[in-house]
Amino acid sequence: MAAHVKRQHALVRERTAIGNELRGLLGEFGLIVSQGHAVIRQGVIRERLDEQRARLGEELYTLLNDLLDQWLENDARIARYDKRLQRQAKASADMQRLMSLPGIGPINATLLFSHLGDPARFPNGRQFSASLGLVPRQHSSGGRHQLMGITKRGNGEVRRQLVHGARAALRQFQRQEQPDRLSRWACSLAARLGQRKAIVALANKMARICWSLLAHERRYQPQEAA
């Protein structure tokens, strides 16, 4: 399953590179199109190319259409991987438990489940979080302990995706009208330390919660704020 996620990520990078090249070439000839995937999927660029075919010339017209075809092919393959991951996630009780936590979707659940394996490999959630490099480094001097940035050790891909999930979760928390304990803690942290630090701290906490969900075979249950 993790191999599917890695391949999907590779396709996303390829799609981004092709899209940037396509937009860059179009811009050189004064064909400016709005950002976003929808404008490409809806055929707007194809229509512009057909309208400007004579001015562009056959060689450039063919090149741009080839880039457009490559982008659309990658986009379709990414969509197929998305559906496959969603089917696998729905069929797994463990991944359903992980996805009960805000910010954890099929991709994150797949990567976390593949990395964690048997929860008994880790004595507690902190050790699992440490395996992802999400625990803060410590510096001791003269009997004083200072917390620094995270270690960034361990599985970098899982860590990056979990941080993306934490970013999405924080946005969701900040829109909640009735925050629970986790969302209130995350929003308070963002107000005091800023979004960036709060997101990393939330990712650390989410990793610990994920370990607990699998270790105790339960779904996430929001707790009332104190």
Side-chain angles (χ1 to χ4, degrees), residues 5 8 82 85-86 88-90 94-113 161-162 164-166 168-169 172 206 210:
V5 175
Q8 185 189 44
D82 277 339
L85 287 171
Q86 289 171 5
Q88 292 171 337
K90 287 181 180 179
D94 281 329
M95 283 199 278
Q96 287 293 310
R97 293 185 182 100
L98 291 174
M99 289 192 296
S100 66
L101 178 64
I104 302 296
I107 290 178
N108 252 330
T110 299
L111 289 173
L112 285 162
F113 181 71
Q161 289 301 317
L162 193 55
H164 290 326
Q172 177 182 337
M206 287 169 62
C210 285

Side-chain angles (χ1 to χ4, degrees), residues 151-163:
T151 65
K152 292 188 178 181
R153 296 173 181 170
N155 195 312
E157 182 64 21
V158 181
R159 180 176 63 250
R160 282 190 294 273
Q161 289 301 317
L162 193 55
V163 168

Side-chain angles (χ1 to χ4, degrees), residues 14 26 29 35 43 46 60 67 70 79 84 110 116 131 133 136 148 155 162 167 181 186 215 220:
E14 291 174 15
L26 289 170
F29 289 87
Q35 294 296 319
R46 187 84 73 185
L60 181 57
L67 284 172
Q70 289 182 47
R84 187 177 303 169
T110 299
L116 178 55
S131 77
M148 305 172 70
N155 195 312
L162 193 55
R167 184 178 295 109
R181 183 180 298 178
Y220 175 73

Side-chain angles (χ1 to χ4, degrees), residues 5-224:
V5 175
K6 290 180 180 179
R7 182 56 190 148
Q8 185 189 44
H9 288 172
L11 288 170
V12 170
R13 289 193 294 270
E14 291 174 15
R15 182 181 64 182
T16 300
I18 294 168
N20 289 341
E21 183 179 2
L22 178 60
R23 290 178 188 279
L25 287 171
L26 289 170
E28 289 181 14
F29 289 87
L31 300 177
I32 308 301
V33 293
S34 58
Q35 294 296 319
H37 298 329
V39 69
I40 305 180
R41 293 185 183 124
Q42 294 170 358
V44 174
I45 291 181
R46 187 84 73 185
E47 292 175 1
R48 299 287 297 278
L49 289 177
D50 289 342
E51 291 171 358
Q52 300 294 323
R53 183 169 186 168
R55 185 169 71 87
L56 294 171
E58 283 302 312
E59 185 173 345
L60 181 57
Y61 173 82
T62 300
L63 171 63
L64 291 170
N65 266 288
D66 185 54
L67 284 172
L68 180 56
D69 287 339
Q70 289 182 47
W71 191 97
L72 291 170
E73 181 182 349
N74 272 34
D75 191 51
R77 292 168 71 186
I78 291 167
R80 289 196 292 271
Y81 274 105
D82 277 339
K83 291 180 180 178
R84 187 177 303 169
L85 287 171
Q86 289 171 5
R87 287 197 301 269
Q88 292 171 337
K90 287 181 180 179
S92 168
D94 281 329
M95 283 199 278
Q96 287 293 310
R97 293 185 182 100
L98 291 174
M99 289 192 296
S100 66
L101 178 64
I104 302 296
I107 290 178
N108 252 330
T110 299
L111 289 173
L112 285 162
F113 181 71
S114 298
H115 177 70
L116 178 55
D118 182 2
R121 293 196 307 119
F122 301 94
N124 51 49
R126 188 183 188 283
Q127 291 300 314
F128 175 58
S129 181
S131 77
L132 301 177
L134 283 168
V135 296
R137 291 180 287 114
Q138 297 188 24
H139 174 71
S140 299
S141 177
R144 298 181 62 185
H145 301 281
Q146 180 182 5
L147 293 180
M148 305 172 70
I150 59 175
T151 65
K152 292 188 178 181
R153 296 173 181 170
N155 195 312
E157 182 64 21
V158 181
R159 180 176 63 250
R160 282 190 294 273
Q161 289 301 317
L162 193 55
V163 168
H164 290 326
R167 184 178 295 109
L170 181 59
R171 287 197 297 266
Q172 177 182 337
F173 292 159
Q174 290 171 332
R175 295 193 298 266
Q176 283 183 354
E177 295 182 1
Q178 296 181 330
D180 59 16
R181 183 180 298 178
L182 178 62
S183 61
R184 178 163 292 182
W185 171 83
C187 292
S188 174
L189 203 62
R192 288 188 291 111
L193 302 179
Q195 296 276 118
R196 186 174 179 180
K197 290 183 178 179
I199 287 168
V200 174
L202 179 57
N204 179 9
K205 187 176 286 289
M206 287 169 62
R208 300 183 187 205
I209 294 173
C210 285
W211 175 87
S212 179
L213 296 178
L214 294 187
H216 301 289
E217 297 184 349
R218 64 188 182 193
R219 296 173 65 88
Y220 175 73
Q221 296 292 335
Q223 298 179 345
E224 293 185 7

